[in-house]
Amino acid sequence: MPYNDPHTAAPCLWVMRTAEGAEFEVSVAELAGDVRERKLAECVVVSEHRAEFGRSPTANFGRMPDGWIKSTGNNAALAKSGRRARGYQDPAVTRSLDYAPVLDLDHAPTAPEWAGLPWSPWRPGLIAEPTLGVYRIRSAGEQHLVYLGQGRIGARLTAHAAKSRLEDHRQRAAFTGDLESSWAALPTCTAAQLLEVECDLIASHALFAGLAPEAQFFG
């Protein structure tokens, strides 16, 4: 099995081909624009796939087929520490369930009912409870967003706030000023499910507002 990089889908595709006998076909579409526009388009087409079929593409969001452990990454730190490892078969392991699609074309990204998630009220600054879920950041009173993210919400917002103090950081301007934050706690979600929700929210913002959140894909 290949490692999890340079592409995270490689281990899953390898299992599908070598263990399940899958044959693959490829279709491409040229897209003008920079890397941000391509990543935004990817979110939109993946989210539209989820909305149509009720599930994510098989190899997206780091998932593996039932019965398989994924390879680790392949970097110098993992190799030096002895933690680099190839994936392997384990019948006890099951693929995590897909999170139900939450693509929302009807509500503004700042609305309390957006995507049917349990959003907190908007609060000043970038301070939140240390819970797992998704979050949104806006300039005070604006109807479009500065950023959408997922993970340990309190820690993630603290990290964004720190970028405002780094003069050479590409997101510095976006995270400086009168900001507000709102979040939806999803404590039982797996890592893959949080990525699915984040993807759907970015796509919802793009299809409603016609653009990505201001600081999205500027990592």
Side-chain angles (χ1 to χ4, degrees):
M1 186 189 298
Y3 290 112
N4 192 45
D5 50 47
H7 202 294
T8 188
C12 180
L13 296 175
W14 180 87
V15 170
M16 293 174 65
R17 186 183 65 181
T18 60
E20 300 176 357
E23 296 183 1
F24 300 127
E25 297 177 329
V26 176
S27 173
V28 301
E30 288 191 34
L31 180 67
D34 60 17
V35 65
R36 292 186 72 229
E37 291 170 294
R38 294 195 296 274
K39 288 182 176 180
L40 181 60
E42 180 183 27
C43 280
V44 170
V45 297
V46 170
S47 186
E48 289 180 334
H49 179 286
R50 284 172 40 74
E52 180 173 355
F53 296 102
R55 66 185 299 275
S56 296
T58 302
N60 273 82
F61 304 114
R63 280 195 177 88
M64 291 290 287
D66 284 343
W68 290 88
I69 298 290
K70 193 175 191 179
S71 297
T72 68
N74 182 27
N75 57 54
L78 288 171
K80 184 176 180 180
S81 66
R83 292 181 291 120
R84 181 179 63 178
R86 300 280 185 181
Y88 56 92
Q89 195 165 15
D90 182 346
V93 175
T94 57
R95 175 185 174 91
S96 70
L97 297 176
D98 294 76
Y99 197 92
V102 295
L103 183 66
D104 186 347
L105 308 183
D106 299 321
H107 300 98
T110 56
E113 67 270 36
W114 190 41
L117 296 174
W119 296 105
S120 72
W122 286 99
R123 299 182 183 179
L126 300 181
I127 301 174
E129 301 166 4
T131 187
L132 192 68
V134 291
Y135 59 91
R136 52 186 178 172
I137 301 170
R138 71 175 182 182
S139 294
E142 292 291 338
Q143 294 303 305
H144 62 274
L145 300 179
V146 170
Y147 193 82
L148 281 162
Q150 55 81 29
R152 294 288 173 186
I153 299 170
R156 295 291 294 135
L157 291 180
T158 298
H160 292 311
K163 293 173 184 176
S164 68
R165 300 187 291 274
L166 302 175
E167 292 188 3
D168 58 346
H169 198 284
R170 297 178 67 191
Q171 293 175 320
R172 179 177 183 272
F175 291 123
T176 300
D178 189 11
L179 300 178
E180 298 176 328
S181 53
S182 169
W183 57 90
L186 301 172
T188 63
C189 278
T190 66
Q193 289 171 335
L194 287 176
L195 290 172
E196 287 173 323
V197 176
E198 180 187 46
C199 177
D200 284 354
L201 294 178
I202 293 171
S204 298
H205 189 285
L207 294 172
F208 187 92
L211 74 170
E214 179 183 350
Q216 211 77 39
F217 308 125
F218 267 132

